[in-house]
Amino acid sequence: MEKITTEFITLQQFLKMNDLIFSGGEAKYFVKENRILVNGETEDRRGRKLYPGDEVSVNGKKYRIS
């Protein structure tokens, strides 16, 4: 995963960075159809801000924002 160079990234940007989606338009459907947890809580907003240290789980695979 790439290291972020801004204060935060959105969940949509995260999904694209990790090749889970290929376009922003896919994000809306992806977050509704897949189990996504941010810091242990279910998330379905593609615009959710992710900060360094946040833990994201997508269908059981875990990632840490750095």
Side-chain angles (χ1 to χ4, degrees):
M1 179 175 164
E2 299 175 36
K3 198 166 195 151
I4 64 171
T5 57
T6 57
E7 181 183 357
F8 64 86
I9 60 170
T10 63
L11 180 56
Q12 177 175 309
Q13 290 170 315
F14 167 82
L15 295 172
K16 283 181 70 175
M17 288 172 110
N18 286 284
D19 297 324
L20 297 168
I21 61 171
F22 297 103
S23 71
E26 288 181 73
K28 180 178 180 179
Y29 302 102
F30 188 89
V31 298
K32 298 291 182 197
E33 296 175 4
N34 293 275
R35 182 168 167 79
I36 300 175
L37 302 174
V38 176
N39 299 325
E41 296 183 16
T42 302
E43 186 56 67
D44 64 357
R45 298 172 294 159
R46 61 188 168 145
R48 165 73 187 258
K49 294 177 182 174
L50 303 173
Y51 296 90
D54 283 349
E55 184 178 276
V56 180
S57 175
V58 180
N59 295 327
K61 185 171 182 184
K62 292 185 179 183
Y63 303 85
R64 181 158 307 272
I65 305 299
S66 62

